[in-house]
């Protein structure tokens, strides 16, 4: 059975340096039988390629992750000039002081689970150009992203440093929120989220919940701003954790009943209800109840006939019934 998705939602070089300690050591040979002190330099950071491993390493170190999306490794011009910059020792040394390095690229040689991780992160961040830089904090929350438009090394480093500043400012607002109360606290949290808005998404849902709590009557218009986003996260979680398991067990009637409760919930927006009704229509069709299936699709379109969700509903209806109504 086809599923409807409504989320708005995819080696280093070792270096060493000889350090000779002391004035005498610099100006005279070493005494017989005594070796000169040799201290290896820190290795130049490498690009990891498995997201889960890189994020775990960053989390363990209490640091952030630099993701580079550079497209297929097949001679693509954008990807080639991107890694020509990113793979230099100079860039890796600079970036490696603050970040775990992660390169995400489509590759026919990638393991299936790795390919899924790359695709998931690309979709999650809305990556549309190569190469693109994205920064993720130690809690797995993205906070900045930008496409690289220049082959210039200095410009690439400047872009990275500018993106890193976004987290500093975000955390200043979040820290100020902890010292504030009521609507003022909600406003501080909102200001922090605005800085990371292009890449925020589900990972900031707990911050959004706090905003709802501290603007309960929508006095600052912040409850209205975030309630649909929170509802979407909750609905998606319920679909993944409760509805799909019922479907996997063959309990389609139970899945329909759970969707009905989601539709009746106070938090669902009109477009979310449209997509839930279309999902319900698919389930009815699988139960061979074509009359209820058609009614669910029609009810979904009727909520907001000109919405983007309505177009998705009609496309799903066409797939189920073979042609639009």
């Amino acid at each position: 059975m086809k599923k409807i998705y409504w989320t708005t939602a995819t080696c280093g070089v070792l270096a060493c340096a000889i350090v000779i300690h002391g004035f005498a050591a610099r100006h005279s040979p070493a005494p017989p039988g005594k070796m000169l002190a040799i201290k290896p330099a820190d290795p130049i950071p490498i690009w990891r390629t498995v997201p889960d491993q890189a994020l775990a390493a960053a989390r363990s170190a209490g640091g952030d992750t630099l993701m580079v999306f550079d497209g297929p490794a097949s001679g693509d011009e954008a990807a080639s000039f991107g890694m020509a910059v990113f793979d230099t020792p100079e860039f890796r040394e600079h970036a490696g002081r603050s970040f775990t390095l992660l390169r995400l690229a489509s590759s026919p040689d990638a393991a299936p689970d790795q390919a899924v991780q790359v695709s998931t992160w690309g979709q999650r961040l809305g990556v549309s150009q190569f190469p693109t830089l994205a920064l993720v904090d130690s809690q797995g929350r993205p906070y900045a992203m930008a496409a690289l438009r220049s082959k210039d090394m200095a410009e690439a480093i400047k872009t990275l440093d500018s993106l890193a500043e976004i987290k500093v400012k975000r955390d200043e607002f979040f820290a100020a929120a902890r010292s504030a109360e009521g609507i003022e606290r909600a406003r501080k949290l909102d200001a922090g989220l605005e800085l990371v808005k292009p890449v925020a998404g589900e990972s900031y849902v707990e911050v959004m919940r706090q905003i709802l709590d501290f603007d309960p009557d929508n006095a600052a218009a912040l409850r209205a701003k975030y309630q649909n986003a929170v509802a979407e996260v909750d609905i998606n979680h319920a679909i993944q954790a409760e509805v799909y398991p019922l479907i996997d067990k063959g309990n389609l009637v139970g899945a329909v009943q759970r969707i009905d409760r989601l539709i009746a919930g106070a938090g669902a927006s009109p477009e979310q209800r449209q997509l839930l009704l279309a999902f319900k229509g698919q389930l009815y069709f699988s139960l061979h109840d074509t009359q209820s299936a058609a009614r669910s699709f029609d009810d979904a379109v009727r909520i907001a006939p000109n919405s983007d969700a309505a177009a998705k509903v009609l496309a799903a209806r066409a797939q189920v019934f073979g042609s639009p109504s």
Side-chain angles (χ1 to χ4, degrees):
M1 179 178 62
K2 293 182 174 65
K3 298 176 183 177
I4 296 177
Y5 297 91
W6 49 85
T7 53
T8 53
T10 255
C11 74
V13 180
L14 293 178
C16 66
I18 297 177
V19 180
I20 304 174
H21 299 283
F23 179 86
R26 288 196 297 270
H27 293 273
S28 61
K34 184 175 182 180
M35 297 294 295
L36 295 177
I38 299 178
K39 178 184 177 182
D42 292 335
I44 298 173
I46 63 170
W47 285 104
R48 298 171 183 263
T49 58
V50 181
D52 284 353
Q53 294 177 5
L55 291 165
R59 184 167 56 250
S60 177
D64 295 356
T65 302
L66 164 61
M67 296 182 173
V68 167
F69 296 84
D70 70 335
S74 58
D76 176 85
E77 182 179 355
S80 297
F81 97 69
M83 291 314 295
V85 173
F86 299 139
D87 207 32
T88 59
E90 293 84 0
F91 185 89
R92 284 184 288 141
E93 284 179 331
H94 181 84
R97 297 187 191 112
S98 303
F99 302 98
T100 295
L101 308 184
L102 172 61
R103 178 180 180 234
L104 299 175
S106 301
S107 170
D109 301 325
D113 59 338
Q114 180 179 344
V116 168
Q117 291 178 42
V118 171
S119 175
T120 299
W121 273 103
Q123 292 177 10
R124 177 179 177 184
L125 296 174
V127 174
S128 59
Q129 300 180 56
F130 301 124
T132 288
L133 301 171
L135 301 183
V136 179
D137 68 19
S138 60
Q139 299 178 52
R141 300 181 300 182
Y143 58 87
M145 183 175 74
L148 183 69
R149 303 183 184 279
S150 171
K151 299 180 183 181
D152 182 70
M153 169 71 67
E155 186 65 26
I157 289 176
K158 181 179 178 181
T159 297
L160 175 61
D161 291 346
S162 177
L163 294 177
E165 281 297 312
I166 292 175
K167 180 189 174 186
V168 175
K169 295 175 182 177
R170 178 202 71 177
D171 289 351
E172 287 175 352
F173 279 116
F174 286 175
R178 289 192 290 271
S179 301
E181 298 293 339
I183 290 177
E184 187 57 29
R185 183 167 186 172
R187 289 193 175 107
K188 296 293 185 184
L189 293 171
D190 171 60
L193 285 183
E194 278 295 315
L195 292 171
V196 300
K197 186 176 181 179
V199 294
E202 181 177 343
S203 56
Y204 289 88
V205 68
E206 294 309 319
V207 178
M208 297 178 197
R209 292 191 201 281
Q210 289 185 57
I211 292 174
L212 299 186
D213 289 341
F214 287 101
D215 188 19
D217 301 320
N218 199 39
L222 295 177
R223 168 167 280 274
K225 181 176 178 178
Y226 290 104
Q227 63 184 359
N228 284 348
V230 172
E232 181 177 347
V233 171
D234 291 342
I235 290 170
N236 289 337
H237 178 78
I239 293 293
Q240 296 295 332
E242 301 174 43
V243 176
Y244 283 156
L246 289 170
I247 293 172
D248 291 340
K249 294 175 182 177
N251 185 2
L252 302 189
V253 173
V256 167
Q257 292 171 345
R258 183 66 184 96
I259 289 174
D260 279 338
R261 293 197 296 275
L262 291 173
I263 293 170
S269 70
E271 290 203 352
Q272 288 163 354
R273 291 200 302 274
Q274 285 180 287
L275 294 171
L276 287 167
L277 279 165
F279 195 2
K280 180 179 170 181
Q282 290 179 314
L283 293 174
Y284 271 132
F285 190 83
S286 296
L287 287 166
H288 307 292
D289 185 347
T290 55
Q291 184 176 2
S292 295
R295 185 169 58 250
S296 293
F297 282 114
D298 292 343
D299 288 347
V301 173
R302 196 175 296 115
I303 290 173
N306 298 319
S307 67
D308 291 340
K312 295 176 183 177
V313 170
L314 290 172
R317 194 187 200 285
Q319 288 182 338
V320 169
F321 287 99
S323 63
S325 58

